[in-house]
Amino acid sequence: MNFIKETLNQVQPSTDTLYDVIYNLFFFAKLKESENNIQNGDVCTLEELGQYIKDLEENYENSNI
């Protein structure tokens, strides 16, 4: 993956910690995944998201009875 190489090339050993490097790799990997999802049409509408959240809330409320 090219973005890994680009991210590692931006590492500044004098200031970046291992945590910083891992965080950046994870962050940029998720951005790349999101870009691919958008290009492939694998997205949801705000209405679908709202319904999903309502369903989660209902399941949570029902599980605590």
Side-chain angles (χ1 to χ4, degrees), residues 6-49:
E6 291 172 4
T7 302
L8 291 176
N9 285 335
Q10 295 175 8
V11 171
Q12 299 175 3
S14 60
T15 58
D16 290 344
T17 64
L18 179 59
Y19 175 82
D20 294 331
V21 174
I22 293 170
Y23 178 86
N24 287 338
L25 286 172
F26 179 79
F27 179 78
F28 289 120
K30 288 298 179 181
L31 280 180
K32 185 66 175 168
E33 180 182 340
S34 296
E35 289 175 357
N36 291 339
N37 288 343
I38 291 168
Q39 289 175 352
N40 295 329
D42 190 16
V43 296
C44 69
T45 64
L46 289 176
E47 291 80 15
E48 291 171 330
L49 178 60

Side-chain angles (χ1 to χ4, degrees), residues 47-58:
E47 291 80 15
E48 291 171 330
L49 178 60
Q51 185 60 48
Y52 177 75
I53 291 171
K54 285 180 185 177
D55 292 344
L56 285 177
E57 289 172 343
E58 288 175 8

